[in-house]
Amino acid sequence: MSPKPQRQSTRPVQVTLAVVLQVRRGRLSTLLWQRALQPCAGAWALPGGRLSAGETLEESIRRHLAAKVDVRELAHLEQLGTYGDPGRHPAEWEIATAYLGLVPLGVDPHVPSDTAWQPVDSLPPTAFDHGAIVLAGRDRLRGKLSYSNVGFALAPETFTMAELRDLYVAALGHEVSATNLKRVLVRRGAIEPTGERRAAGRAGGRPADVYRFRERRLAITDPFAALRPPG
């Protein structure tokens, strides 16, 4: 059995972490990298790193994302929470400020060989408390899909209602009616038709109307709403 790591400092280290979410192949996924060194060698961790002198928390996480996983343009970024349990890191007292970042469908950032998109509903073994932080990011997204227009950050510039419904289903983890979703988002003024129609696929059927989000920045559209599972 390896000896317990000795803490190196009685002062906390400040780090920033990012829960970067994107719907990929129909599943809500997050970016994780596999640690090569102890502690937690072989486990998967959130991208991030130490806060540098003179930078804000947001500047820190944007720098780490740009440098490590080529995520320079996030459709949405917000602070998720601060995690300061003295025992969350075995080797040092580390205070982590986590951010939630969203990447639209179709964007494919370059990532290094030790980094991969992992489905949120079947995470590999994670380092420290990073698995719980990922789930906190998922839950924050699910809540905001109910009462805001944050779906813009998961969707491409234009989409059919069937395509948008699939994104909501992947993020929420339950079925959503395209008809009901359209009614809710149109009533709230979150989406609008572009006037274009998309040709039917191989299965046939009528061409589908194409929509877009009116705003591509966060707005609260119904503070008391909740998108609940059917039944």
Side-chain angles (χ1 to χ4, degrees), residues 101-116:
L102 303 178
V103 178
L105 182 72
V107 175
D108 194 19
H110 173 75
V111 298
S113 59
D114 64 354
T115 303

Side-chain angles (χ1 to χ4, degrees), residues 79-133:
Q79 195 171 127
L80 177 62
T82 298
Y83 300 83
D85 186 333
R88 62 179 299 275
H89 192 295
E92 60 187 359
W93 183 12
E94 180 186 274
I95 297 177
T97 300
Y99 279 79
L100 171 63
L102 303 178
V103 178
L105 182 72
V107 175
D108 194 19
H110 173 75
V111 298
S113 59
D114 64 354
T115 303
W117 292 94
Q118 302 286 355
V120 173
D121 60 4
S122 58
L123 291 173
T126 54
F128 317 119
D129 53 0
H130 291 196
I133 297 174

Side-chain angles (χ1 to χ4, degrees), residues 26-210:
R27 301 177 75 180
L28 186 67
S29 301
T30 190
L31 268 180
L32 298 175
W33 66 281
Q34 193 168 31
R35 294 177 60 87
L37 302 176
Q38 295 291 355
C40 302
W44 292 81
L46 291 167
R50 294 194 178 196
L51 185 71
S52 292
E55 70 180 354
T56 67
L57 292 169
E58 184 171 327
E59 288 170 347
S60 173
I61 195 56
R62 287 188 182 277
R63 173 175 60 82
H64 286 297
L65 287 175
K68 295 180 179 180
V69 293
D70 194 32
V71 179
R72 294 177 173 84
E73 295 297 331
L74 295 167
H76 177 70
L77 181 70
E78 66 177 65
Q79 195 171 127
L80 177 62
T82 298
Y83 300 83
D85 186 333
R88 62 179 299 275
H89 192 295
E92 60 187 359
W93 183 12
E94 180 186 274
I95 297 177
T97 300
Y99 279 79
L100 171 63
L102 303 178
V103 178
L105 182 72
V107 175
D108 194 19
H110 173 75
V111 298
S113 59
D114 64 354
T115 303
W117 292 94
Q118 302 286 355
V120 173
D121 60 4
S122 58
L123 291 173
T126 54
F128 317 119
D129 53 0
H130 291 196
I133 297 174
V134 170
L135 297 183
R138 177 203 62 186
D139 292 345
R140 172 73 66 83
L141 172 62
R142 287 179 172 178
K144 289 204 163 181
L145 284 171
S146 291
Y147 63 80
S148 80
N149 68 338
V150 78
F152 79 86
L154 298 176
E157 290 285 340
T158 61
F159 45 83
T160 66
M161 286 311 305
E163 291 166 346
L164 187 64
R165 184 268 319 277
D166 290 346
L167 290 175
Y168 272 70
V169 168
L172 291 169
H174 61 74
E175 286 299 319
V176 176
S177 162
T179 301
N180 290 340
L181 183 63
K182 173 184 173 181
R183 183 171 62 248
V184 168
L185 295 179
V186 169
R187 186 183 71 239
R188 296 178 184 176
I191 63 172
E192 62 185 1
T194 65
E196 300 174 355
R197 307 193 82 187
R198 190 164 297 168
R202 294 181 179 178
R206 295 189 306 172
D209 291 329
V210 176

